[in-house]
Amino acid sequence: MVDPFAGAASGQTGPATRHFAITPSDTVDLPIRPRALVFQTAGIAVLRDETGADIAYTRYAGDVLPLRAVRVLATGTTATLIGWV
């Protein structure tokens, strides 16, 4: 397959090049810090940022939240999420 963007850096505003399933946990940080989170299902995601602040986001299925979360907490999270890197 030809990739005309193979030599281009994706940067902060470019498209993601990898994705991974997120398993919420109250004790374990994400294995990879994502550039954004994609809501596979509608619901709530309780996210921790790099300062340790936890905030709940209510979103619809298909929404992209451009937040580089450190952790997705299991307590309070009802949505299924995918991380984009």
Side-chain angles (χ1 to χ4, degrees), residues 3 6 11 14 22 26 28 30-32 46 50 55-57 60 62 78-80:
D3 182 357
I22 290 180
D26 290 334
V28 179
L30 294 170
I32 302 169
V46 182
E50 63 186 14
I55 300 287
Y57 291 87
Y60 55 87
T78 61
T80 302

Side-chain angles (χ1 to χ4, degrees), residues 26-48:
D26 290 334
T27 59
V28 179
D29 288 345
L30 294 170
I32 302 169
R33 196 155 175 208
R35 95 176 24 216
L37 298 168
V38 180
F39 281 65
Q40 293 292 99
T41 62
I44 300 165
V46 182
L47 308 177
R48 179 166 294 164

Side-chain angles (χ1 to χ4, degrees), residues 1-26:
M1 167 178 49
V2 176
D3 182 357
F5 302 101
S10 63
Q12 290 274 344
T13 59
T17 58
R18 295 182 290 153
H19 55 255
F20 63 99
I22 290 180
T23 302
S25 172
D26 290 334

